[in-house]
Coordinates of all heavy atoms in Angstrom, one line a residue:
V18 N 148.5 74.3 24.9 CA 149.8 74.8 24.6 C 150.5 73.9 23.6 O 150.5 72.7 23.8 CB 150.7 74.9 25.9 CG1 152.1 75.2 25.6 CG2 150.1 75.8 26.9
R19 N 151.0 74.5 22.5 CA 151.6 73.7 21.5 C 153.0 73.3 21.9 O 153.7 74.1 22.4 CB 151.6 74.4 20.2 CG 150.2 74.7 19.6 CD 150.2 75.4 18.4 NE 150.9 74.7 17.3 CZ 150.4 74.2 16.2 NH1 149.1 74.4 16.0 NH2 151.1 73.6 15.3
S20 N 153.4 72.1 21.6 CA 154.7 71.6 22.0 C 155.4 71.0 20.7 O 154.7 70.8 19.7 CB 154.6 70.5 23.1 OG 154.0 69.4 22.5
P21 N 156.7 70.7 20.8 CA 157.3 70.0 19.6 C 156.6 68.7 19.3 O 156.4 68.4 18.1 CB 158.7 69.8 20.1 CG 159.0 70.9 21.1 CD 157.7 71.1 21.8
A22 N 156.2 67.9 20.3 CA 155.5 66.7 20.0 C 154.1 66.9 19.4 O 153.8 66.2 18.4 CB 155.3 65.9 21.3
H23 N 153.4 67.9 19.8 CA 152.1 68.3 19.2 C 152.3 68.7 17.8 O 151.6 68.2 16.9 CB 151.5 69.4 20.0 CG 150.2 69.9 19.4 ND1 150.1 70.8 18.5 CD2 148.9 69.4 19.6 CE1 148.9 71.0 18.1 NE2 148.1 70.2 18.8
D24 N 153.3 69.5 17.5 CA 153.6 70.0 16.2 C 154.0 68.8 15.2 O 153.8 68.9 14.0 CB 154.7 71.1 16.2 CG 154.2 72.4 16.8 OD1 153.0 72.5 17.0 OD2 155.0 73.2 17.1
A25 N 154.7 67.8 15.8 CA 155.1 66.7 15.0 C 154.0 65.7 14.7 O 154.1 64.9 13.8 CB 156.2 65.9 15.7
G26 N 152.9 65.8 15.4 CA 151.7 65.0 15.2 C 151.5 63.8 16.2 O 150.7 62.9 15.9
F27 N 152.3 63.8 17.3 CA 152.1 62.8 18.3 C 150.8 62.8 18.9 O 150.2 63.9 19.1 CB 153.2 62.9 19.3 CG 154.5 62.4 18.9 CD1 155.4 63.2 18.2 CD2 154.9 61.1 19.0 CE1 156.6 62.8 17.7 CE2 156.1 60.6 18.6 CZ 157.0 61.5 17.9
Q28 N 150.2 61.7 19.3 CA 149.0 61.6 20.0 C 149.1 60.7 21.3 O 150.0 59.9 21.3 CB 147.9 60.9 19.1 CG 147.6 61.7 17.9 CD 146.5 61.0 17.0 OE1 146.0 60.0 17.4 NE2 146.3 61.6 15.8
E29 N 148.3 61.0 22.2 CA 148.4 60.2 23.5 C 148.2 58.8 23.1 O 147.3 58.4 22.4 CB 147.3 60.7 24.4 CG 147.4 60.1 25.8 CD 146.4 60.6 26.8 OE1 145.9 61.7 26.6 OE2 146.2 60.0 27.8
G30 N 149.0 57.9 23.7 CA 148.9 56.5 23.5 C 149.8 56.0 22.4 O 149.9 54.7 22.2
D31 N 150.4 56.8 21.6 CA 151.4 56.4 20.6 C 152.5 55.6 21.3 O 153.0 56.0 22.4 CB 152.0 57.6 19.9 CG 151.1 58.2 18.9 OD1 150.0 57.6 18.5 OD2 151.4 59.3 18.4
L32 N 152.9 54.5 20.7 CA 154.0 53.6 21.3 C 155.2 53.8 20.4 O 155.2 53.5 19.2 CB 153.5 52.2 21.3 CG 154.5 51.1 21.8 CD1 154.8 51.4 23.2 CD2 154.0 49.7 21.6
I33 N 156.3 54.3 21.0 CA 157.5 54.5 20.3 C 158.2 53.2 20.1 O 158.5 52.5 21.0 CB 158.5 55.5 21.0 CG1 157.8 56.9 21.1 CG2 159.8 55.6 20.3 CD1 158.5 57.9 21.9
V34 N 158.5 52.8 18.8 CA 159.2 51.6 18.6 C 160.6 51.8 18.1 O 161.5 50.9 18.3 CB 158.5 50.7 17.5 CG1 157.1 50.2 18.1 CG2 158.2 51.4 16.2
K35 N 160.9 53.0 17.7 CA 162.3 53.4 17.4 C 162.5 54.9 17.5 O 161.6 55.7 17.0 CB 162.7 53.0 15.9 CG 164.2 53.1 15.7 CD 164.6 52.3 14.4 CE 164.6 53.2 13.2 NZ 165.2 52.6 12.0
F36 N 163.5 55.3 18.2 CA 163.8 56.7 18.5 C 165.1 57.1 17.9 O 166.1 56.5 18.2 CB 163.8 57.0 20.0 CG 163.8 58.4 20.4 CD1 162.6 58.9 20.9 CD2 164.9 59.2 20.3 CE1 162.5 60.2 21.3 CE2 164.8 60.5 20.7 CZ 163.6 61.1 21.2
G37 N 165.1 58.0 16.9 CA 166.3 58.3 16.2 C 166.7 57.2 15.3 O 165.8 56.3 14.9
P38 N 167.9 57.2 14.8 CA 168.3 56.2 13.9 C 168.4 54.7 14.4 O 168.2 53.8 13.7 CB 169.7 56.6 13.4 CG 170.2 57.5 14.5 CD 169.0 58.1 15.1
D39 N 168.6 54.6 15.7 CA 168.8 53.2 16.2 C 168.5 52.9 17.7 O 168.8 51.9 18.2 CB 170.3 52.8 16.0 CG 171.2 53.8 16.7 OD1 170.8 54.7 17.4 OD2 172.5 53.6 16.5
I40 N 167.7 53.8 18.4 CA 167.4 53.5 19.8 C 166.0 52.8 19.8 O 165.1 53.3 19.2 CB 167.3 54.8 20.6 CG1 168.7 55.6 20.6 CG2 166.9 54.5 22.0 CD1 168.6 57.0 21.1
N41 N 166.0 51.7 20.5 CA 164.7 50.9 20.5 C 164.6 50.3 21.9 O 165.3 50.6 22.8 CB 164.7 49.8 19.4 CG 165.8 48.9 19.6 OD1 166.1 48.4 20.7 ND2 166.5 48.6 18.5
H42 N 163.6 49.5 22.1 CA 163.2 48.9 23.4 C 164.4 48.1 24.0 O 164.5 48.0 25.3 CB 162.0 48.0 23.3 CG 162.3 46.7 22.5 ND1 162.7 45.6 23.1 CD2 162.2 46.4 21.2 CE1 162.9 44.6 22.2 NE2 162.6 45.1 21.1
S43 N 165.3 47.6 23.2 CA 166.4 46.8 23.8 C 167.7 47.5 24.1 O 168.6 47.0 24.7 CB 166.7 45.6 22.8 OG 167.3 46.1 21.6
N44 N 167.8 48.8 23.7 CA 169.1 49.5 23.9 C 169.0 50.9 24.4 O 169.9 51.7 24.2 CB 169.9 49.4 22.6 CG 169.3 50.3 21.5 OD1 168.2 50.8 21.6 ND2 169.9 50.3 20.3
H45 N 167.9 51.3 25.0 CA 167.7 52.7 25.4 C 168.4 53.0 26.8 O 168.5 54.1 27.2 CB 166.2 53.1 25.5 CG 165.4 52.3 26.4 ND1 165.5 52.5 27.8 CD2 164.5 51.3 26.2 CE1 164.6 51.7 28.4 NE2 164.0 51.0 27.4
S46 N 168.9 52.0 27.4 CA 169.6 52.1 28.7 C 168.9 53.0 29.7 O 169.3 54.0 30.2 CB 171.0 52.7 28.4 OG 171.8 52.0 27.6
Q47 N 167.7 52.5 30.1 CA 166.8 53.2 31.1 C 166.5 54.7 30.6 O 166.5 55.6 31.4 CB 167.5 53.3 32.4 CG 168.0 52.0 33.0 CD 166.8 51.3 33.7 OE1 166.1 51.9 34.4 NE2 166.7 50.0 33.6
L48 N 166.4 54.8 29.3 CA 166.0 56.1 28.6 C 167.2 57.0 28.5 O 167.1 58.1 28.0 CB 164.8 56.8 29.2 CG 163.5 55.9 29.2 CD1 162.4 56.7 29.8 CD2 163.1 55.5 27.8
K49 N 168.4 56.6 29.0 CA 169.6 57.5 29.0 C 170.0 57.8 27.5 O 170.5 58.9 27.2 CB 170.7 56.9 29.7 CG 170.5 56.9 31.2 CD 171.6 56.2 32.0 CE 171.2 56.1 33.4 NZ 171.9 55.0 34.1
A50 N 169.9 56.9 26.6 CA 170.2 57.1 25.2 C 169.4 58.2 24.6 O 169.9 59.0 23.8 CB 170.1 55.8 24.4
I51 N 168.1 58.2 25.0 CA 167.2 59.3 24.5 C 167.7 60.6 25.1 O 167.8 61.7 24.4 CB 165.8 59.0 24.8 CG1 165.3 57.8 23.9 CG2 164.9 60.2 24.5 CD1 164.0 57.2 24.3
A52 N 167.9 60.6 26.4 CA 168.3 61.8 27.1 C 169.6 62.4 26.6 O 169.8 63.6 26.6 CB 168.5 61.6 28.6
N53 N 170.5 61.6 26.0 CA 171.7 62.0 25.4 C 171.5 62.6 24.0 O 172.2 63.5 23.6 CB 172.8 60.9 25.4 CG 173.3 60.5 26.8 OD1 173.2 61.3 27.7 ND2 173.7 59.3 26.9
L54 N 170.6 62.0 23.3 CA 170.4 62.4 21.9 C 169.6 63.7 21.8 O 169.9 64.6 21.0 CB 169.6 61.3 21.2 CG 169.2 61.6 19.7 CD1 170.4 61.8 18.8 CD2 168.3 60.5 19.2
V55 N 168.6 63.9 22.6 CA 167.7 65.1 22.5 C 168.4 66.4 22.6 O 168.2 67.3 21.7 CB 166.5 65.0 23.5 CG1 165.7 66.2 23.5 CG2 165.6 63.8 23.1
P56 N 169.3 66.7 23.6 CA 169.9 68.0 23.7 C 170.8 68.3 22.5 O 170.9 69.4 22.0 CB 170.7 68.0 25.0 CG 170.1 66.9 25.8 CD 169.6 65.9 24.8
T57 N 171.5 67.3 22.0 CA 172.4 67.5 20.8 C 171.6 67.9 19.6 O 171.9 68.8 18.9 CB 173.2 66.2 20.6 OG1 173.9 65.9 21.7 CG2 174.1 66.3 19.4
A58 N 170.4 67.2 19.4 CA 169.6 67.5 18.3 C 169.0 68.9 18.4 O 168.9 69.6 17.4 CB 168.5 66.5 18.1
A59 N 168.6 69.3 19.6 CA 168.1 70.6 19.9 C 169.1 71.7 19.6 O 168.8 72.7 18.9 CB 167.6 70.7 21.3
A60 N 170.4 71.5 20.0 CA 171.4 72.4 19.8 C 171.7 72.6 18.3 O 172.0 73.7 17.9 CB 172.7 72.0 20.5
N61 N 171.6 71.6 17.6 CA 171.8 71.6 16.1 C 170.5 71.9 15.3 O 170.6 71.9 14.1 CB 172.5 70.3 15.7 CG 173.9 70.2 16.3 OD1 174.6 71.1 16.4 ND2 174.2 68.9 16.7
K62 N 169.4 72.0 16.0 CA 168.1 72.2 15.3 C 167.8 71.1 14.3 O 167.3 71.4 13.2 CB 168.0 73.6 14.7 CG 168.1 74.7 15.7 CD 167.9 76.1 15.1 CE 167.7 77.2 16.0 NZ 168.7 77.6 16.9
Q63 N 168.2 69.9 14.7 CA 168.0 68.7 13.8 C 166.8 67.9 14.2 O 166.6 67.7 15.4 CB 169.2 67.8 13.9 CG 170.5 68.4 13.3 CD 171.6 67.4 13.4 OE1 171.8 66.8 14.5 NE2 172.3 67.2 12.3
P64 N 166.0 67.5 13.2 CA 164.8 66.6 13.6 C 165.3 65.2 13.9 O 166.3 64.8 13.4 CB 164.0 66.6 12.3 CG 165.0 67.0 11.2 CD 166.0 67.8 11.8
I65 N 164.6 64.6 14.8 CA 164.8 63.2 15.2 C 163.7 62.4 14.6 O 162.5 62.7 15.0 CB 164.9 63.1 16.7 CG1 166.0 63.9 17.4 CG2 165.1 61.6 17.1 CD1 165.9 64.0 18.9
P66 N 164.0 61.4 13.8 CA 162.9 60.5 13.3 C 162.5 59.6 14.4 O 163.3 58.9 15.0 CB 163.5 59.8 12.1 CG 165.0 59.8 12.4 CD 165.3 61.0 13.2
I67 N 161.2 59.5 14.7 CA 160.6 58.6 15.7 C 159.6 57.8 15.0 O 158.6 58.3 14.5 CB 160.1 59.4 16.9 CG1 161.2 60.3 17.5 CG2 159.5 58.4 17.9 CD1 160.7 61.1 18.7
T68 N 159.8 56.5 15.1 CA 158.8 55.5 14.5 C 157.9 55.1 15.7 O 158.3 54.7 16.7 CB 159.5 54.3 13.9 OG1 160.4 54.7 13.0 CG2 158.5 53.4 13.3
I69 N 156.6 55.3 15.4 CA 155.6 54.9 16.4 C 154.6 53.9 15.9 O 154.4 53.7 14.7 CB 154.8 56.2 16.9 CG1 154.0 56.8 15.7 CG2 155.7 57.2 17.5 CD1 152.8 57.6 16.1
L70 N 153.9 53.3 16.8 CA 152.8 52.4 16.5 C 151.6 53.0 17.1 O 151.5 53.4 18.3 CB 153.0 51.0 17.2 CG 152.0 49.9 16.9 CD1 152.0 49.6 15.4 CD2 152.3 48.7 17.7
R71 N 150.6 53.3 16.2 CA 149.4 54.0 16.7 C 148.2 53.0 16.6 O 148.1 52.4 15.6 CB 149.2 55.2 15.8 CG 147.9 56.0 16.1 CD 147.9 57.3 15.5 NE 148.9 58.2 16.0 CZ 149.3 59.3 15.4 NH1 148.9 59.7 14.2 NH2 150.3 60.1 16.0
N72 N 147.5 53.0 17.7 CA 146.3 52.1 17.7 C 146.6 50.7 17.5 O 145.8 49.9 17.0 CB 145.2 52.6 16.7 CG 144.7 54.0 17.0 OD1 144.7 54.4 18.1 ND2 144.4 54.7 16.0
T73 N 147.8 50.3 17.9 CA 148.4 48.9 17.8 C 148.4 48.3 16.3 O 148.6 47.2 16.1 CB 147.6 47.9 18.7 OG1 146.3 47.7 18.2 CG2 147.6 48.4 20.1
T74 N 148.1 49.2 15.3 CA 148.0 48.6 14.0 C 148.8 49.5 12.9 O 149.2 48.9 11.9 CB 146.5 48.6 13.5 OG1 146.0 49.9 13.5 CG2 145.7 47.6 14.3
K75 N 149.0 50.7 13.2 CA 149.5 51.6 12.1 C 150.9 52.1 12.5 O 151.1 52.7 13.6 CB 148.6 52.8 11.9 CG 149.0 53.6 10.7 CD 147.9 54.7 10.5 CE 148.2 55.5 9.3 NZ 147.2 56.5 9.0
T76 N 152.0 51.8 11.7 CA 153.3 52.3 12.0 C 153.5 53.6 11.2 O 153.2 53.7 10.0 CB 154.3 51.3 11.5 OG1 154.1 50.0 12.2 CG2 155.8 51.7 11.9
I77 N 154.0 54.6 11.9 CA 154.2 55.9 11.3 C 155.6 56.5 11.8 O 156.0 56.3 12.9 CB 153.1 56.9 11.9 CG1 151.7 56.4 11.6 CG2 153.3 58.3 11.2 CD1 150.6 57.2 12.3
C78 N 156.3 57.2 10.9 CA 157.5 57.9 11.3 C 157.2 59.4 11.4 O 156.7 60.0 10.4 CB 158.6 57.6 10.3 SG 160.2 58.4 10.8
L79 N 157.4 59.9 12.5 CA 157.2 61.3 12.8 C 158.5 62.0 13.1 O 159.1 61.6 14.1 CB 156.2 61.5 13.9 CG 154.8 60.9 13.7 CD1 154.0 61.1 15.0 CD2 154.1 61.6 12.6
P80 N 159.0 63.0 12.4 CA 160.2 63.7 12.8 C 159.8 64.8 13.8 O 158.8 65.5 13.6 CB 160.6 64.4 11.4 CG 159.4 64.5 10.6 CD 158.5 63.4 11.1
I81 N 160.6 64.9 14.9 CA 160.3 65.9 15.9 C 161.6 66.7 16.0 O 162.7 66.2 16.0 CB 159.9 65.2 17.2 CG1 159.6 66.3 18.3 CG2 161.0 64.3 17.8 CD1 159.0 65.7 19.5
I82 N 161.4 68.0 16.1 CA 162.6 68.9 16.3 C 162.5 69.4 17.8 O 161.7 70.2 18.2 CB 162.5 70.1 15.4 CG1 162.5 69.7 13.9 CG2 163.7 71.1 15.7 CD1 162.3 70.8 12.9
P83 N 163.5 68.8 18.6 CA 163.5 69.2 20.0 C 163.8 70.7 20.2 O 164.7 71.2 19.5 CB 164.6 68.4 20.6 CG 164.9 67.3 19.6 CD 164.5 67.9 18.3
Q84 N 163.1 71.4 21.0 CA 163.3 72.8 21.2 C 162.6 73.3 22.5 O 161.7 72.7 22.9 CB 162.9 73.6 20.0 CG 161.4 73.5 19.7 CD 161.0 74.1 18.4 OE1 161.5 75.2 18.1 NE2 160.3 73.4 17.6
P85 N 163.1 74.4 23.1 CA 162.4 74.9 24.2 C 161.0 75.3 23.8 O 160.8 75.8 22.7 CB 163.2 76.1 24.6 CG 164.6 75.9 24.0 CD 164.3 75.1 22.8
W86 N 160.1 75.2 24.8 CA 158.7 75.6 24.6 C 158.1 76.0 25.9 O 158.9 76.1 26.9 CB 157.9 74.4 23.9 CG 157.7 73.2 24.8 CD1 158.7 72.3 25.1 CD2 156.6 72.7 25.4 NE1 158.2 71.3 25.9 CE2 156.9 71.6 26.1 CE3 155.3 73.2 25.5 CZ2 156.0 70.9 26.9 CZ3 154.3 72.5 26.2 CH2 154.7 71.3 26.9
A87 N 156.9 76.3 26.0 CA 156.3 76.8 27.3 C 156.3 75.9 28.4 O 156.3 76.2 29.6 CB 154.9 77.3 27.0
G88 N 156.4 74.5 28.2 CA 156.4 73.5 29.2 C 157.8 73.0 29.5 O 158.8 73.6 29.2
R89 N 157.9 71.9 30.2 CA 159.1 71.3 30.6 C 159.8 70.5 29.5 O 159.1 69.9 28.6 CB 158.9 70.3 31.8 CG 158.5 71.0 33.0 CD 158.2 70.1 34.2 NE 159.2 69.1 34.3 CZ 159.0 67.9 34.9 NH1 157.9 67.6 35.3 NH2 160.0 67.1 35.0
G90 N 161.1 70.4 29.5 CA 161.8 69.6 28.5 C 161.9 70.2 27.1 O 161.5 71.3 26.9
L91 N 162.4 69.4 26.2 CA 162.6 69.8 24.8 C 161.7 69.1 23.8 O 161.7 69.5 22.6 CB 164.0 69.6 24.4 CG 165.1 70.4 25.2 CD1 166.5 69.9 24.9 CD2 165.0 71.9 24.9
L92 N 160.9 68.2 24.3 CA 160.0 67.4 23.4 C 158.5 67.7 23.5 O 157.8 67.7 22.6 CB 160.2 65.9 23.6 CG 161.6 65.4 23.3 CD1 161.7 63.9 23.6 CD2 162.0 65.6 21.8
G93 N 158.1 68.0 24.7 CA 156.7 68.3 25.0 C 155.9 67.0 25.1 O 154.7 67.0 24.8
C94 N 156.5 65.9 25.5 CA 155.8 64.7 25.8 C 156.5 63.9 26.9 O 157.6 64.2 27.2 CB 155.7 63.8 24.5 SG 157.3 63.3 23.8
H95 N 155.8 63.0 27.5 CA 156.3 62.2 28.5 C 156.6 60.8 27.9 O 155.8 60.1 27.4 CB 155.3 62.0 29.7 CG 155.8 61.2 30.8 ND1 156.7 61.7 31.7 CD2 155.4 60.0 31.2 CE1 156.9 60.8 32.6 NE2 156.2 59.7 32.3
I96 N 157.9 60.5 28.0 CA 158.4 59.2 27.5 C 158.7 58.3 28.7 O 159.5 58.7 29.6 CB 159.6 59.3 26.6 CG1 159.2 60.2 25.4 CG2 160.1 58.0 26.1 CD1 160.4 60.5 24.5
R97 N 158.2 57.1 28.6 CA 158.5 56.1 29.7 C 158.7 54.7 29.1 O 158.1 54.5 28.0 CB 157.5 56.1 30.8 CG 156.1 55.7 30.3 CD 155.1 55.7 31.4 NE 153.9 55.2 30.9 CZ 152.7 55.8 31.0 NH1 152.6 56.9 31.7 NH2 151.6 55.2 30.5
P98 N 159.4 53.9 29.7 CA 159.6 52.5 29.1 C 158.2 51.8 29.1 O 157.4 51.9 30.0 CB 160.5 51.8 30.1 CG 161.2 52.9 30.8 CD 160.2 54.0 30.9
Y99 N 158.0 51.1 28.0 CA 156.8 50.4 27.8 C 156.8 49.0 28.5 O 157.8 48.3 28.4 CB 156.5 50.1 26.3 CG 155.3 49.2 26.0 CD1 154.0 49.7 26.2 CD2 155.5 47.9 25.5 CE1 152.9 48.9 26.0 CE2 154.4 47.2 25.3 CZ 153.1 47.6 25.5 OH 152.0 46.9 25.2
T100 N 155.8 48.8 29.3 CA 155.6 47.5 30.0 C 154.3 46.9 29.5 O 153.2 47.4 29.8 CB 155.6 47.6 31.5 OG1 156.8 48.4 31.9 CG2 155.6 46.3 32.2
P101 N 154.4 45.8 28.7 CA 153.1 45.2 28.2 C 152.3 44.6 29.4 O 152.9 44.1 30.4 CB 153.6 44.1 27.3 CG 155.0 43.9 27.5 CD 155.6 45.1 28.3
H102 N 151.0 44.7 29.3 CA 150.1 44.2 30.3 C 150.1 42.7 30.1 O 149.9 42.2 29.0 CB 148.7 44.8 30.1 CG 148.7 46.2 30.3 ND1 149.1 46.9 31.5 CD2 148.3 47.2 29.4 CE1 149.0 48.2 31.3 NE2 148.5 48.4 30.1
T103 N 150.2 41.9 31.2 CA 150.1 40.5 31.0 C 148.9 39.9 31.7 O 148.2 40.6 32.5 CB 151.4 39.8 31.7 OG1 151.5 40.3 33.0 CG2 152.6 40.2 30.8

């Protein structure tokens, strides 16, 4: 099933380093900042620029347009806070 994340080019294991213009690991407020941004962008059909780190070496900016799809949510991916392995 194609999702907005699939259409934007996201791959399993991508690490989000910046979500939208200014949400990052230090200010996402338990992911609430993302939860607030996504429905607004979906209502306005606006892409959200997401900067990811792929394979721990390549930084890529992928625009995603949140929208309803066959699955849950508006993005089609599972976002969770990153906890580095120690």
Side-chain angles (χ1 to χ4, degrees):
V18 175
R19 293 179 63 114
S20 70
H23 177 271
D24 291 344
F27 284 86
Q28 296 179 8
E29 187 173 344
D31 285 346
L32 178 64
I33 297 172
V34 294
K35 190 163 98 173
F36 195 100
D39 58 4
I40 300 171
N41 61 45
H42 69 89
S43 66
N44 67 357
H45 62 74
S46 301
Q47 307 274 322
L48 302 179
K49 290 177 188 157
I51 293 171
N53 291 334
L54 175 64
V55 169
T57 302
N61 296 320
K62 296 182 169 70
Q63 292 180 313
I65 300 171
I67 301 178
T68 304
I69 62 156
L70 184 62
R71 180 167 290 160
N72 300 325
T73 67
T74 58
K75 188 173 184 181
T76 302
I77 304 169
C78 184
L79 299 173
I81 186 170
I82 300 173
Q84 58 189 317
W86 65 289
R89 293 177 47 204
L91 297 170
L92 298 176
C94 62
H95 182 72
I96 298 175
R97 61 179 187 232
Y99 174 69
T100 305
H102 301 299
T103 54

